[in-house]
Amino acid sequence: MCMFCQEDTNEKLHEVQQFSRSTDILNRAKCDDIMRARLSGIGDLMAAKGKYHNKCLNEFKRRTNEKSSSAKSEVDAAMEHLIEQLDDGLMHGHVFDMVMVWKTHTDI
């Protein structure tokens, strides 16, 4: 059954066979409430034998394209800020507690 439309129509079902495709779908699913719920707990669509119709995948990509790019830029900006802080601290000989690094990342 197609992970997007949840139907097994006469269209050819494709199986996720590339890690990059799996990662892309999972990242885009974070921006889509329905797919986020369907794929919660799944970290690898190849191992989960995820299947899809090309038409459904393309529709999903169009629907999440704008959302994922804006979410990605926010995450990238937060990560860049954190990396700058870490680099500056390391240059001054600071030692970092990874729990505090994670807390700082989530706060940003």
Side-chain angles (χ1 to χ4, degrees):
M1 182 165 36
C2 174
M3 71 178 101
F4 301 108
C5 70
Q6 297 288 293
E7 295 179 10
D8 188 10
T9 62
N10 290 336
E11 289 181 65
K12 182 178 180 184
L13 278 171
H14 301 273
E15 193 168 311
V16 177
Q17 296 181 342
Q18 298 171 335
F19 183 70
S20 59
R21 166 112 348 125
S22 173
T23 303
D24 182 49
I25 292 170
L26 291 172
N27 285 336
R28 288 172 181 272
K30 294 175 186 174
C31 302
D32 185 277
D33 293 335
I34 293 171
M35 290 307 295
R36 184 174 55 229
R38 283 185 189 156
L39 300 178
S40 65
I42 296 175
D44 182 356
L45 289 170
M46 292 183 301
K49 300 198 182 288
K51 293 183 173 60
Y52 60 91
H53 298 119
N54 273 334
K55 178 180 157 185
C56 296
L57 174 63
N58 291 332
E59 182 181 310
F60 174 69
K61 283 183 174 183
R62 277 192 298 275
R63 189 171 67 238
T64 59
N65 206 22
E66 185 176 306
K67 293 178 188 176
S68 67
S69 64
S70 66
K72 183 179 179 186
S73 65
E74 290 174 14
V75 170
D76 289 346
M79 185 59 75
E80 285 177 24
H81 181 68
L82 179 61
I83 289 170
E84 287 174 16
Q85 288 181 337
L86 291 172
D87 281 343
D88 186 48
L90 291 171
M91 296 275 276
H92 290 92
H94 295 214
V95 176
F96 294 98
D97 176 7
M98 292 310 293
V99 173
M100 291 305 296
V101 170
W102 179 251
K103 183 179 178 339
T104 302
H105 179 260
T106 56
D107 289 347
I108 294 172

